[in-house]
């Protein structure tokens, strides 16, 4: 089956895949909207006015919601979309899917906790950089006491349920992050209300807890703004990595980013990151990184991401950081 970001697939197929794989069990509204669009020739004709890479359900739905689309049944949405199509098209053309989910730090923390610090964090595809602050959030992993930053409980508390039989290596102390920087084609700035409004629209309708977290994480980041370099990750990686302090362990990481690159660009990235000192933490959809052996022997959900350290899968990860299933050693 194609994915919703596969620009070469017919639009109906992309919306069907989004309904069945990405939205199913995550957002009843988006599941209904995407299934509705997939079977609606009128809506498909409108969306096909956009260039293929802009036809993504997540982009079109977020643009509609930024403009006030009512949350409800598909027929109501379809009527609203037809009436407001020219504005939706304008927003979709000028924006990109840049969902920034601070809760993904709960996926990264067990890996960071096992890396000798101090740590220099470099995120490719950083959006607004909210995942660059793992040491500034509090964590509550199921069955574990809450882990707080050195200054005490954070305004962002990340709940993550640990699934499966293999205990995740939840650290008992925060990693020491001494440097943080990111790369994005279009870095968003948490100090700009329009950028925060777009990040808010990217959060799926039923996910009010994520919206509240976004606002709190944006405030933390606004108080210590991240260094974000604008540009393509393959073009900027070497120079930014070279500027990291040499007495810290470099950790290059990314979550839900590489599906936006074609296969050749992914290969270039894998080669580049492999040549850098330090470690590489990837959290991407299955099949996005063909060189990583996927652990189908470990229970997982269809929407789970493959969490890998240095090219070896360590866990299945809920795409928004809500759960982790650790894998036994390969
Ligand atoms: C879905 S967002 C994920 C943001 C963040 N990693 C997170 O997990 O919250 C993907 C980000 O990757 C960026 N991106 C996509 N292709 C890129 C490229 N070739 N170079 C740099 N950034 C890219 C997008 O602009 C977007 O901000």
């Amino acid at each position: 089956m194609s994915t919703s970001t596969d620009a070469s697939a017919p639009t109906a197929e992309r919306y069907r895949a989004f309904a069945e794989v990405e939205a199913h069990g995550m957002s009843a509204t988006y599941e209904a909207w995407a299934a509705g669009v997939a079977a609606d020739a009128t809506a498909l004709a409108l969306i096909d006015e956009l260039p293929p890479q802009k036809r993504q359900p997540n982009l079109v739905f977020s643009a509609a919601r930024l403009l006030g689309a009512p949350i409800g049944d598909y027929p109501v949405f379809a009527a609203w979309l037809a009436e407001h199509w020219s504005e939706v098209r304008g927003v979709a053309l000028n924006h990109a899917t840049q969902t920034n989910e601070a809760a993904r730090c709960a996926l990264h923390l067990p890996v960071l906790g096992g890396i000798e610090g101090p740590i220099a964090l470099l995120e490719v595809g950083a959006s607004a950089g909210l995942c660059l602050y793992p040491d500034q959030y509090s964590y509550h992993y199921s069955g574990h006491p809450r882990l707080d930053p050195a200054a005490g409980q954070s305004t962002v508390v990340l709940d993550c349920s640990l699934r499966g039989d293999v205990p995740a290596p939840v650290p008992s102390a925060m990693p020491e992050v001494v440097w943080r920087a990111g790369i994005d084609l279009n870095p968003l700035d948490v100090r700009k209300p329009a950028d925060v409004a777009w990040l808010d629209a990217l959060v799926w309708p039923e996910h009010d807890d994520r919206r509240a977290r976004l606002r709190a994480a944006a405030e933390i980041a606004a108080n210590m703004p991240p260094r974000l370099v604008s540009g393509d990750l393959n073009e900027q990686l070497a120079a930014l990595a070279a500027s990291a302090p040499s007495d810290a362990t470099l950790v290059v990481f990314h979550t839900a980013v590489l599906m936006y690159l074609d296969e050749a660009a992914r290969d270039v990235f894998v080669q580049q990151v492999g040549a850098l000192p330090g470690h590489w933490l990837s959290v991407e959809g299955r099949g996005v990184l063909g060189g990583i052996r996927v652990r189908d022997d470990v229970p997982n959900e269809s929407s789970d991401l493959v969490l890998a350290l240095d090219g070896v899968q360590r866990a299945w990860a809920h795409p928004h950081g809500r759960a982790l299933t650790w894998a036994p050693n390969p």
Side-chain angles (χ1 to χ4, degrees):
M1 183 194 259
S2 318
T3 63
S4 68
T5 51
D6 178 359
S8 65
T11 306
E13 218 173 278
R14 294 172 72 178
Y15 278 71
R16 200 169 306 117
F18 183 81
E20 290 173 11
V21 179
E22 288 158 75
H24 178 69
M26 304 276 277
S27 166
T29 304
Y30 275 9
E31 187 177 357
W33 287 7
V37 168
D40 179 347
T42 308
L44 287 169
L46 292 176
I47 293 166
D48 278 342
E49 290 174 11
L50 292 166
Q53 72 276 17
K54 294 285 184 182
R55 294 177 195 159
Q56 284 174 59
N58 205 18
L59 178 61
V60 172
F61 293 165
S62 299
R65 288 184 41 246
L66 184 74
L67 295 164
I71 304 305
D73 293 344
Y74 179 68
V76 176
F77 173 69
W80 185 94
L81 189 69
E83 197 182 328
H84 297 87
W85 176 248
S86 64
E87 298 108 279
V88 174
R89 182 178 50 201
V91 171
L93 287 172
N94 293 328
H95 291 70
T97 47
Q98 295 195 259
T99 310
N100 202 185
E101 181 46 83
R104 289 178 176 145
C105 287
L107 308 174
H108 307 149
L109 193 79
V111 170
L112 297 179
I115 291 174
E116 200 177 335
I119 287 177
L121 275 182
L122 193 166
E123 183 179 20
V124 300
S127 184
L130 300 180
C131 293
L132 284 165
Y133 299 90
D135 53 336
Q136 302 299 315
Y137 305 142
S138 289
Y139 299 84
H140 189 223
Y141 292 96
S142 54
H144 289 257
R146 201 185 64 226
L147 179 61
D148 291 327
Q153 185 175 344
S154 171
T155 49
V156 175
V157 181
L158 306 179
D159 284 304
C160 180
S161 67
L162 301 177
R163 299 176 176 155
D165 302 328
V166 179
V170 173
S172 52
M174 279 294 176
E176 186 191 358
V177 179
V178 291
W179 183 89
R180 53 193 108 219
I183 303 168
D184 203 281
L185 283 178
N186 176 43
L188 295 176
D189 187 339
V190 287
R191 293 162 297 181
K192 291 187 182 160
D195 284 4
V196 177
W198 177 239
L199 287 169
D200 193 298
L202 285 164
V203 176
W204 294 6
E206 296 85 352
H207 299 188
D208 291 334
D209 58 331
R210 293 180 61 206
R211 241 179 297 284
R213 188 164 57 230
L214 166 70
R215 299 281 169 175
E219 220 173 290
I220 289 174
N223 283 331
M224 46 192 302
R227 174 178 177 193
L228 294 178
V229 174
S230 174
D232 177 73
L233 56 89
N234 273 331
E235 285 167 22
Q236 302 296 333
L237 179 61
L240 189 58
S243 71
S246 57
D247 54 355
T249 307
L250 177 68
V251 179
V252 176
F253 75 102
H254 48 91
T255 312
V257 172
L258 295 190
M259 75 270 199
Y260 295 111
L261 275 61
D262 63 26
E263 224 169 292
R266 287 177 209 170
D267 289 348
V268 170
F269 173 73
V270 171
Q271 274 177 20
Q272 280 207 70
V273 82
L276 290 173
H279 293 282
W280 167 38
L281 168 59
S282 61
V283 188
E284 297 289 346
R286 67 190 75 208
V288 169
L289 284 165
I292 295 179
R293 184 173 76 84
V294 165
R295 296 297 298 267
D296 276 332
D297 56 328
V298 178
N300 58 86
E301 306 284 334
S302 64
S303 54
D304 277 353
L305 305 177
V306 175
L307 182 151
L309 179 65
D310 300 325
V312 177
Q313 184 176 2
R314 294 300 176 92
W316 285 105
H318 182 281
H320 298 142
R322 295 182 201 263
L324 261 179
T325 312
W326 215 255
N329 285 332

